[in-house]
């Protein structure tokens, strides 16, 4: 076997933080006829002691992950609203009406491109390999390219449309296997005084809120500012501003420029402050991540203990809520089986009738909560817990209970006219 190396800096000075074992791809929902051919891939989280990158070390062919994709950003109102405001904000700050060109990497179904297209820019381009998703963009003033963004693609785009004043890449910069090639492409295609902006899940949320369910093959990197600073400096680029974003239970927006360019914008104090906080939290040291792994293991033990108690002592039933990629990591890591959980409810009709990867739980519509009245609902979509409680008050008022698996295991019930939360450890 080849020696494992850091994906960013190729160092062998890396240490294993969590071994998830062999797991099925978190987004690969399937039908029973596909069970025998389902492939499981090793999933190991490593930390690089040289460049500070927390990463999944194992490789999965990107075309397996992205050619046919289950996720349409525009289906989520929060995202439509967020990207509309984001596009307006950055256009006002960095672009010139009628003159500027913008490219979005991982544009998906055009959730942000549509907002840019309304802002009187000269050129609006999106690139995404998922054919079924990008083909839904039909607006005549948006140029779409159905491909992976690479240095080669960047060259072709530059020859055809010129340099870009802004490149954006949201929730994709952590997803790319050959990230060096993509970064070279960004450097090549970005105008001298251009800005590269990307949003990505923030490592502080992953660590502080024990969001280990975010860890799956699609998300290869878990970025700290410390790791990103080091990485971009290798390309003659620097992060000059940041913005914390509540989306996806805790993201960060990073603003990047070529070193020494875009001089009119000063280095933000927020960058200096976040760096200080990250050094204080030890994000440049292995110990912080080993401590994290220990806390993750503890919540796993608490959750399994509770599920076993419900099955063996209370003799009651549990179903899941929210068949997301996050659910699939949690189920596979905790090895939840069909003696502990019956099925999973999901509001997205596209998933209903399918089965979860690796664990093969059937996915059903929410109506079963009323027809079958399960005793407990394990809320995999725990980051939307308030919305889920509000939507399902009838179930709770009828005596049903909810289990919140993270950041700490809790049981939610409705007693004496109010919502009660009980902690399990
Ligand atoms: N930007 C959208 C958002 O923030 O909601 C979509 C994010 S989705 C999680 C990731 C998208 O990136 C998918 O549509 C996927 O097909 C695309 N993608 C993956 N690798 C890519 C690459 N190398 N170049 C361009 N797009 C890529």
């Amino acid at each position: 076997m080849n020696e494992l190396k850091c994906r960013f800096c190729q160092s062998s000075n890396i240490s294993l933080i969590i071994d998830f074992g062999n797991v099925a791809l978190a987004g690969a929902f399937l039908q029973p006829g596909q069970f025998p051919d389902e492939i499981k891939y090793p999933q190991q989280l490593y930390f690089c002691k040289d460049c500070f990158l927390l990463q999944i070390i194992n490789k999965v062919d990107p075309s397996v992950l992205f050619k046919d994709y289950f996720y349409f950003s525009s289906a989520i109102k929060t995202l439509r609203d967020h990207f509309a405001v984001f596009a307006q904000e950055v256009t006002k700050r960095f672009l010139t009406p009628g003159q500027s060109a913008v490219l979005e990497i991982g544009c998906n179904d055009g959730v942000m491109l549509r907002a840019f297209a309304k802002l009187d820019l000269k050129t609006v381009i999106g690139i995404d390999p998922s054919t079924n998703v990008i083909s839904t963009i039909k607006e005549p003033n948006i140029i779409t390219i159905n491909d992976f963004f690479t240095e080669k693609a960047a060259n072709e785009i530059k020859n055809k449309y010129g340099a870009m004043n802004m490149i954006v890449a949201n929730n994709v910069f952590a997803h790319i296997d050959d990230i060096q090639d993509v970064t070279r492409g960004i450097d090549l295609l970005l105008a001298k005084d251009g800005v590269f902006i990307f949003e990505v899940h923030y490592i502080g949320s992953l660590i502080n809120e024990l969001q280990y369910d975010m860890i799956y093959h699609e998300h290869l990197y878990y970025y700290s500012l410390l790791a990103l600073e080091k990485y971009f400096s290798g390309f003659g680029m620097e992060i000059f501003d940041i913005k914390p974003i509540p989306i996806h239970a805790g993201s960060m927006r990073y603003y990047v420029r070529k070193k020494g360019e875009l001089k009119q914008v000063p280095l933000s104090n927020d960058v200096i402050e976040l760096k200080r906080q990250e050094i204080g939290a030890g994000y440049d040291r292995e110990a912080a991540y080993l401590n994290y792994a220990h806390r993750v293991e503890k919540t796993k033990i608490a959750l399994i203990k509770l599920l076993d108690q419900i099955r063996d002592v209370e003799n009651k039933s549990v179903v899941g809520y929210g068949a997301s990629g996050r659910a699939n990591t949690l189920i596979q890591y905790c090895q939840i089986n069909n003696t502990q959980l019956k099925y999973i409810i999901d509001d997205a009709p596209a998933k209903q009738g399918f089965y979860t990867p690796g664990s093969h739980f059937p996915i059903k519509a929410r109506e079963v909560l009323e027809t079958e009245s399960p005793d407990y609902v394990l809320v995999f979509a725990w980051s939307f817990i308030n919305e889920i409680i509000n939507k399902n008050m009838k179930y709770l008022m009828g005596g049903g209970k909810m289990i919140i698996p993270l950041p700490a295991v809790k049981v939610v019930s409705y007693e004496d006219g109010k919502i009660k939360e009980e902690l399990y450890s």
Side-chain angles (χ1 to χ4, degrees), residues 5 38 58 61 81 143 198 228 234 274 277 303 311 316 335 407:
K5 293 213 165 100
E38 189 178 38
N58 324 90
D61 181 352
D81 295 347
I143 299 159
F198 66 101
L228 282 170
L274 185 64
Q277 283 174 21
L303 181 62
R311 180 195 56 202
K316 291 194 165 155
Q335 296 177 345

Side-chain angles (χ1 to χ4, degrees), residues 68 214 412:
D68 199 18
M214 275 296 289
V412 177

Side-chain angles (χ1 to χ4, degrees), residues 251-301:
S251 303
M252 189 66 76
R253 184 185 302 167
Y254 295 94
Y255 295 82
V256 187
R257 65 185 165 200
K258 295 181 191 236
K259 243 181 214 155
E261 301 298 338
L262 209 71
K263 290 196 191 73
Q264 67 277 24
V265 186
L267 175 71
S268 151
N269 276 335
D270 295 346
V271 174
I272 298 163
E273 176 55 22
L274 185 64
K275 200 169 161 184
R276 198 189 59 75
Q277 283 174 21
E278 288 191 353
I279 291 170
Y283 292 173
D284 53 350
R285 275 162 284 148
E286 183 190 16
Y289 301 98
L290 291 175
N291 176 273
Y292 168 67
H294 177 67
R295 286 160 52 226
V296 164
E297 174 80 17
K298 269 177 72 178
T299 65
K300 167 183 172 170
I301 293 168

Side-chain angles (χ1 to χ4, degrees), residues 136-147:
T136 60
I137 306 173
K138 305 279 187 215
E139 283 75 358
N141 57 345
I142 300 176
I143 299 159
T144 55
I145 303 167
N146 181 203
D147 206 347

Side-chain angles (χ1 to χ4, degrees), residues 66 69 71 73 79 83 104-108 111 127-130 147-149 170-172 175-176 182 218:
F66 297 117
Y69 204 50
Y71 182 83
S73 307
L79 294 184
F83 288 121
E104 184 178 9
I105 301 170
C107 63
N108 198 264
V111 67
I127 181 164
D128 198 298
S130 304
D147 206 347
F148 288 95
F149 182 80
N170 302 311
N171 306 302
V172 63
H175 296 55
I176 296 171
V182 164
E218 217 179 282

Side-chain angles (χ1 to χ4, degrees), residues 91 95-100 119-122:
T91 299
L95 300 178
T96 314
Q99 292 179 27
S100 295
L119 294 170
D120 183 30
L121 298 168
K122 193 177 92 192

